[in-house]
Amino acid sequence: MRWKSKPPCSQKSQEPTSLSLCLRLFHRYRDLAPQLVPLDYTDKPAVTLPYELIGSMPELKDNPFRQRIAEVFSEHGDGNMTLDDFLDMFSVLSEMAPRDLKAYYAFKIYDFNNDDYICKSDLEKTVNKLTRNELTPEEISLVCEKVIYEADVDNDGKLSLADFQHMIVRAPDFLSTFHIRI
Amino acid sequence: GIDAAEDLVGSLANSCLSSSSLQSFRRFGNTLTEHFHQLQPWHKTLKIIGAEFGTSVLSYFIFLKWLLNFNIFSFLINFGFITIPQFLAAEPNNLSFTGLELLTGAGYFQQTVLYYGSYTNATISKVENSASYNMQLAYIFTVGTYFVICFLILLFSMARLFSRNFVNPQARSVNASKLLCTWDFNITNEKAVKLQQKNLLTQIKRQSAMLVLPVIVSLLNTLIPFFFSWLGHLENFQTPGQHIYVTIIRNIILKISIVGILCYYWLNIVATSESQCWETLVGQDIYRLVLVDFIFCLLGSFFGEFLRRIIGTTVCVSLGLPEFDIGRNVLDLIYAQTLTWIGILFSPLLPGIQMIAFLIVFFVKKVSLMRNCQPPCKVWRTAQMMTSFIFLLFCPSFLGVLSVIGVTVWRLKPSEECGPFRGLPSMYAAVAEWIQMLESYTAWKWVVWIYHNLISSELFFFIISTFVLVVTYLYWQIIQARRTMTKLLHNQIINAGKDKKFLLQKLQKVQRSKRSSSALGGRGQQVSLTAQLLLFNCLVQVHGVLQLCKQPAGLGKGCASNFI
């Protein structure tokens, strides 16, 4: 499998994905819109499924981060995915992807403004998504400050990819929770 | 990877665009490859459980599947190496079969291959002058090899899990990782997602309340130190894990006491009594224990989950649906496996019975979970709990079993009239006799040498123990040194960050003055050149600091201070 926009850390880890997983994913992709997706991909047709179809999949429809996930893996960052994007997404979220790769993509998902740092506003949006907007602004601010205080190693007020990966190392559940079974 | 798949799909599609029979063949081939992945046992079931209830409940079922593999392996090798040869030398069974034997394990079963007592001590040989099969050696080596393999598997699993899940147990980034790393993407059930969100919300609210409280206290300005220590004490107990751990520890102590007392009874009282065939009696006891434990497990599911749901939804609606009690269920599994391991020596086919029991438990628990339970409210640190469970499986459970087996094989006198070791002073004596017999063959002298100088020599074990202790001590010292190095490097990173901030501020100041002095004229350019050289030197030094990972201590104080 090839990974979209290669992360700096694990370019060597090209895991051999099983052919059966590819075929299953292809059929799931096709089942979303059988009239749009051809069976024959030899001419590499430029077929893109809109975000609404992707977000309605049973594995994603209740996930509060589904929009961010689709945006991160889509080609133009708008949530509309080609087959390549679809396969990339589910292979990063499978159990075969290495920890560094998952950490890289989790970082991108939580980075709402795409500036390569998780700043306070990104954290606030994350907290809102995780708690269904039911916290007061003071509580949210308190939580975000606490998170930055704990995880920011180089003290620049925001979390870089290195800070995030350092935190992941201490969260052994990450590999099993950042995983969607398909 | 993806290109190959695309080509395959494309070529398959191409080759059968027109013919419908080929199309159905292609469809069949695709379905086959799909199903092959799902033939992996219970793949779909595990996916559904993970999706509805999260990774913590899923980990119970994965643990159950893992234990099942131990039993399958044991059953296969016992059946292959001990039971099948026994069939060739079997004596006819005089007793009649009534249904009661299934419950008591006695009666008809007493003379079947289920128990130690019916195994012959003869050397089986079907054809004259061909290789013979020594039942005594087969029995002791099969059981011994199985336990050695179990030991290695448990040891390596534990070591791997420990290194992965207990990397750096500093409480420093507990909140950050709780927020960003524990959201369970597996869960696809809407209700379960809402529950996760509600749980996180409650935790955050509790924490914020605790954080807001010190502000009020300092405003009130009374009893400040007392309040802060009270707060810290409270915060320690806020984790739901504490309560669970206490319950589990009580459970463990109870079960260890039960098994300990039973083993004492069997080894000291039953074994030295004058009964006919004490190993078979012990085997029957264990069979009954396994069976009753299995029945109680099912009853526990019935009362704890099914009836509790009925009560929670009809009579006493405030209780609500029950949750799946992971701790209690995992401990039940460990207890059942401990009994099986103790029983292998006395009843070689017991793992087969336990295997069937585990299969039934899997399905019953799965059905009960789906019908009666709700997803867990508390946040489980799944990976660490699973490491603790496997550690429990290894430490009191497996090691205890090894000591029981050790005492039985080395110290106890086998019964005179039954079993493969009848007439010998101890079970181990079979190996000693075999070695004696081997001494007369020159081809096997090396085996005899190994036995005398490595296995039964105290000096060798003394040397090995000393060596292991020395290596352990060295590794411990290395860990201490690495810990110190980590702290130093951490400080270096912090200082480098401070330097960066300072330099950026200085640069901004210089740029501002450059802008204002460029209005005045030439002198500004001279200043900016000096500033740039300054900056360049500083950056080089900071870069050097970051590269100097090998040199410890005090470099990270910040070069920028030199230029102030």
Side-chain angles (χ1 to χ4, degrees):
Chain A
M1 289 248 129
R2 54 172 183 76
W3 312 110
K4 186 169 285 304
S5 60
K6 299 224 187 255
C9 39
S10 54
Q11 304 185 12
K12 307 138 198 137
S13 52
Q14 306 269 346
E15 306 275 328
T17 318
S18 67
L19 187 58
S20 66
L21 178 65
C22 287
L23 288 173
R24 259 186 311 133
L25 288 173
F26 172 69
H27 284 295
R28 288 300 301 272
Y29 185 74
R30 191 156 181 277
D31 288 339
L32 291 173
Q35 70 282 14
L36 288 177
V37 179
L39 269 175
D40 177 7
Y41 253 78
T42 40
D43 327 319
K44 303 198 197 300
V47 174
T48 309
L49 290 187
Y51 163 69
E52 290 71 32
L53 286 175
I54 309 280
S56 66
M57 288 181 68
E59 283 86 357
L60 287 176
K61 74 171 167 41
D62 289 314
N63 194 322
F65 292 104
R66 60 187 177 281
Q67 179 141 18
R68 273 307 292 165
I69 296 175
E71 282 170 11
V72 162
F73 286 99
S74 63
E75 192 141 358
H76 304 292
D78 53 2
N80 304 327
M81 301 178 86
T82 64
L83 178 63
D84 282 354
D85 304 331
F86 190 80
L87 289 169
D88 279 347
M89 174 170 76
F90 278 106
S91 56
V92 168
L93 287 166
S94 75
E95 54 220 353
M96 296 183 267
R99 176 190 287 255
D100 283 343
L101 198 66
K102 285 191 191 235
Y104 175 74
Y105 281 102
F107 182 77
K108 284 183 80 168
I109 288 173
Y110 294 135
D111 181 15
F112 282 78
N113 51 10
N114 290 321
D115 62 349
D116 292 335
Y117 287 101
I118 296 181
C119 55
K120 193 155 178 238
S121 64
D122 296 331
L123 276 178
E124 283 171 3
K125 292 203 191 93
T126 308
V127 171
N128 272 326
K129 283 220 191 285
L130 287 174
T131 57
R132 297 159 58 82
N133 299 323
E134 284 178 17
L135 284 176
T136 66
E138 295 83 33
E139 285 166 341
I140 297 178
S141 168
L142 222 58
V143 168
C144 296
E145 274 163 18
K146 204 155 198 252
V147 168
I148 292 184
Y149 171 72
E150 279 180 3
D152 186 17
V153 174
D154 54 6
N155 274 346
D156 56 359
K158 42 196 178 167
L159 302 184
S160 64
L161 178 61
D163 297 332
F164 190 74
Q165 281 178 332
H166 187 232
M167 186 177 60
I168 294 280
V169 161
R170 278 123 170 237
D173 290 325
F174 176 70
L175 274 178
S176 57
T177 54
F178 194 70
H179 166 235
I180 292 185
R181 211 180 273 260
I182 188 152
Chain B
I2 171 65
D3 300 303
E6 281 179 7
D7 287 339
L8 182 67
V9 167
S11 61
L12 280 173
N14 259 342
S15 66
C16 55
L17 269 177
S18 47
S19 162
S20 62
S21 61
L22 280 175
Q23 246 180 9
S24 50
F25 179 74
R26 173 193 62 82
R27 220 174 292 136
F28 174 73
N30 276 349
T31 332
L32 208 65
T33 36
E34 267 193 43
H35 282 302
F36 181 70
H37 179 91
Q38 279 150 8
L39 267 185
Q40 223 178 52
W42 303 320
H43 165 89
K44 200 159 201 165
T45 314
L46 291 177
K47 178 184 171 193
I48 296 173
I49 294 176
E52 303 261 332
F53 295 91
T55 37
S56 50
V57 173
L58 182 62
S59 63
Y60 165 80
F61 287 90
I62 294 180
F63 187 64
L64 175 53
K65 207 175 100 163
W66 191 64
L67 282 183
L68 192 62
N69 291 337
F70 276 114
N71 286 314
I72 292 177
F73 176 58
S74 172
F75 175 69
L76 287 175
I77 60 171
N78 281 354
F79 193 77
F81 288 103
I82 308 180
T83 310
I84 289 186
Q86 173 62 22
F87 281 141
L88 299 176
E91 292 148 14
N93 196 341
N94 303 327
L95 305 168
S96 57
F97 180 77
T98 66
L100 207 58
E101 275 87 7
L102 287 171
L103 269 179
T104 59
Y108 177 75
F109 280 162
Q110 213 159 347
Q111 288 184 7
T112 56
V113 289
L114 184 59
Y115 293 116
Y116 164 103
S118 70
Y119 286 88
T120 173
N121 71 336
T123 308
I124 306 167
S125 53
K126 262 299 186 195
V127 183
E128 286 300 317
N129 295 333
S130 76
S132 59
Y133 192 82
N134 189 333
M135 187 52 117
Q136 290 179 339
L137 292 178
Y139 201 96
I140 208 173
F141 282 143
T142 310
V143 173
T145 315
Y146 170 70
F147 277 115
V148 167
I149 294 178
C150 268
F151 179 78
L152 292 173
I153 292 177
L154 279 176
L155 193 66
F156 286 125
S157 308
M158 227 176 42
R160 193 171 35 109
L161 285 175
F162 257 125
S163 71
R164 217 196 303 160
N165 298 332
F166 282 93
V167 162
N168 205 351
Q170 286 174 346
R172 242 201 122 226
S173 55
V174 157
N175 290 302
S177 64
K178 211 187 284 184
L179 190 75
L180 291 175
C181 304
T182 55
W183 177 262
D184 202 339
F185 280 69
N186 267 308
I187 294 185
T188 56
N189 177 11
E190 189 187 345
K191 209 179 77 163
V193 164
K194 284 202 186 118
L195 226 93
Q196 253 203 103
Q197 286 171 322
K198 196 179 87 164
N199 173 48
L200 201 59
L201 183 72
T202 336
Q203 282 195 18
I204 292 178
K205 277 202 187 284
R206 230 184 279 148
Q207 291 233 337
S208 320
M210 292 296 115
L211 289 172
V212 165
L213 195 55
V215 174
I216 298 177
V217 166
S218 67
L219 278 179
L220 287 178
N221 211 14
T222 50
L223 297 173
I224 293 174
F226 175 78
F227 257 97
F228 267 99
S229 67
W230 172 70
L231 214 69
H233 186 68
L234 248 194
E235 236 180 332
N236 275 336
F237 271 78
Q238 283 298 348
T239 53
Q242 289 272 344
H243 175 67
I244 297 173
Y245 269 116
V246 168
T247 319
I248 288 181
I249 287 176
R250 282 198 203 124
N251 244 320
I252 292 171
I253 294 179
L254 176 68
K255 291 198 158 60
I256 291 180
S257 327
I258 292 177
V259 175
I261 293 175
L262 279 171
C263 287
Y264 177 81
Y265 168 68
W266 285 325
L267 297 184
N268 279 338
I269 299 179
V270 176
T272 53
S273 69
E274 293 300 316
S275 44
Q276 272 262 330
C277 195
W278 64 268
E279 291 96 347
T280 305
L281 289 177
V282 174
Q284 284 169 0
D285 265 345
I286 297 184
Y287 173 88
R288 286 188 280 261
L289 273 172
V290 163
L291 199 63
V292 168
D293 182 65
F294 168 64
I295 292 175
F296 269 80
C297 182
L298 297 180
L299 281 178
S301 205
F302 179 75
F303 283 107
E305 286 152 22
F306 176 64
L307 276 188
R308 169 83 174 64
R309 172 182 71 101
I310 303 276
I311 294 174
T313 47
T314 50
V315 178
C316 187
V317 195
S318 58
L319 278 179
L321 289 177
E323 274 181 27
F324 189 75
D325 192 346
I326 302 172
R328 181 177 59 85
N329 280 301
V330 170
L331 283 182
D332 281 342
L333 287 182
I334 296 178
Y335 176 68
Q337 188 60 43
T338 312
L339 285 178
T340 312
W341 275 334
I342 295 178
I344 286 184
L345 193 61
F346 306 105
S347 166
L349 295 184
L350 193 65
I353 295 172
Q354 187 65 283
M355 186 175 84
I356 299 172
F358 273 166
L359 281 169
I360 297 177
V361 163
F362 187 97
F363 284 112
V364 166
K365 289 282 175 192
K366 182 198 101 174
V367 166
S368 171
L369 180 76
M370 297 294 187
R371 299 256 170 93
N372 302 330
C373 296
Q374 61 169 339
C377 284
K378 315 184 192 82
V379 168
W380 276 77
R381 298 171 74 187
T382 310
Q384 289 181 335
M385 291 304 287
M386 286 324 294
T387 315
S388 319
F389 287 142
I390 294 189
F391 176 72
L392 281 174
L393 188 67
F394 183 74
C395 189
S397 171
F398 189 74
L399 293 183
V401 166
L402 282 186
S403 33
V404 168
I405 301 282
V407 167
T408 312
V409 167
W410 262 279
R411 293 282 156 129
L412 294 180
K413 188 163 166 21
S415 38
E416 294 285 332
E417 286 140 41
C418 65
F421 300 103
R422 59 192 98 170
L424 294 173
S426 72
M427 292 190 196
Y428 189 70
V431 177
E433 275 185 9
W434 176 60
I435 294 289
Q436 258 189 340
M437 185 205 59
L438 274 187
E439 267 171 20
S440 45
Y441 295 94
T442 42
W444 299 104
K445 267 230 156 22
W446 59 275
V447 180
V448 181
W449 185 89
I450 290 179
Y451 178 79
H452 281 308
N453 294 318
L454 297 184
I455 298 183
S456 52
S457 146
E458 290 93 13
L459 182 65
F460 178 68
F461 280 110
F462 180 71
I463 294 175
I464 284 239
S465 311
T466 316
F467 179 69
V468 166
L469 284 172
V470 166
V471 168
T472 312
Y473 178 72
L474 284 174
Y475 270 113
W476 185 39
Q477 291 302 313
I478 292 177
I479 290 175
Q480 302 287 74
R482 294 244 169 98
R483 229 176 249 167
T484 321
M485 177 64 84
T486 312
K487 268 193 216 122
L488 287 168
L489 287 174
H490 191 73
N491 287 336
Q492 273 191 4
I493 296 178
I494 293 178
N495 285 328
K498 284 192 195 134
D499 291 345
K500 201 173 25 164
K501 228 194 261 180
F502 174 80
L503 288 171
L504 282 172
Q505 284 169 355
K506 207 126 175 64
L507 183 64
Q508 281 171 354
K509 228 189 287 177
V510 163
Q511 281 181 340
R512 251 178 270 136
S513 70
K514 176 186 172 190
R515 245 178 272 129
S516 61
S517 63
S518 69
L520 298 171
R523 217 173 123 252
Q525 286 184 347
Q526 214 178 8
V527 171
S528 73
L529 192 58
T530 322
Q532 281 173 20
L533 280 174
L534 212 78
L535 195 61
F536 179 74
N537 279 329
C538 260
L539 285 175
V540 161
Q541 287 225 4
V542 169
H543 182 75
V545 159
L546 286 174
Q547 292 300 313
L548 283 174
C549 284
K550 296 182 193 87
Q551 296 192 18
L555 288 175
K557 278 292 159 71
C559 71
S561 46
N562 298 337
F563 289 87
I564 295 176

